[in-house]
Amino acid sequence: MTGHQPRPIGPAALAELRATDDAGRPCRPYTTSEGGHPLRCCLRGNEPGERIALVSYAPLRRWAAATGASPGAYDEQGPVFIHAEPCAGPDALRPGYPFARAGALRTVRRYDARGHIVGGRLLELPADPEKGFDAALDEAFADPEVVLAHVRAVEYGCFHFEVRR
């Protein structure tokens, strides 16, 4: 069992992203012939033949809008894959952290209540990725200022999931 709860992109944000993404571009769904794209709506890789979309997403901006925070220059947006149509969300029976593969490089960015970065960590996922994520997130939330952590892929810089205090 994971020590922290990975959060997918929420349903309201997904509905908006399926119309217009956070960069102001219209969503352009397509049917993929390959699998494995990390879907941020359900926190799993896609299957070949599914309709998906690559959209620009600003997770900190959306969190800030809901909490009244003001991240200023720390606001950023980047590419994420989502299902083109609503899905059931994450499978509650699938344990562990999503997109966890031994040897993969991740960053764990830490944010305070203002939405400002208060630290981060480069994480090479060990043979037991769950233990690696638990340790990195335990370390992040040991700082009482940290209210939110974003996990991102190093290779593409894209957002994978968020964890809240």
Side-chain angles (χ1 to χ4, degrees):
M1 172 175 251
T2 58
H4 302 274
Q5 182 61 50
R7 297 172 62 107
I9 298 174
L14 288 166
E16 293 171 2
L17 293 169
R18 288 182 179 117
T20 305
D21 73 10
D22 286 344
R25 290 185 291 269
C27 183
R28 292 189 174 29
Y30 64 97
T31 301
T32 181
S33 59
E34 56 189 51
H37 297 301
L39 298 166
R40 282 33 166 250
C41 48
C42 54
L43 300 181
R44 68 168 176 82
N46 77 288
E47 298 293 330
E50 286 188 293
R51 286 192 48 77
I52 64 174
L54 181 62
V55 297
S56 186
Y57 177 57
L60 191 61
R61 181 184 314 161
R62 288 180 175 273
W63 170 83
T67 63
S70 180
Y74 294 104
D75 177 39
E76 60 184 318
Q77 62 192 32
V80 296
F81 289 100
I82 61 173
H83 273 115
E85 290 83 27
C87 68
D91 181 352
L93 300 177
R94 180 180 289 140
Y97 294 97
F99 322 123
R101 175 181 44 81
L105 297 174
R106 301 289 183 256
T107 61
V108 179
R109 291 190 190 160
R110 306 166 188 174
Y111 297 91
D112 66 13
R114 299 169 301 166
H116 292 194
I117 292 176
V118 291
R121 182 172 194 258
L122 176 63
L123 173 65
E124 180 175 355
L125 292 177
D128 184 342
E130 188 169 314
K131 284 185 180 177
F133 272 128
D134 279 343
L137 291 165
D138 285 347
E139 177 186 288
F141 290 110
D143 179 344
E145 278 193 272
V146 175
V147 299
L148 178 72
H150 285 174
V151 174
R152 295 177 177 267
V154 171
E155 302 92 332
Y156 300 101
C158 54
F159 171 84
H160 272 216
F161 61 89
E162 139 182 324
V163 175
R164 296 181 184 178
R165 181 174 294 281

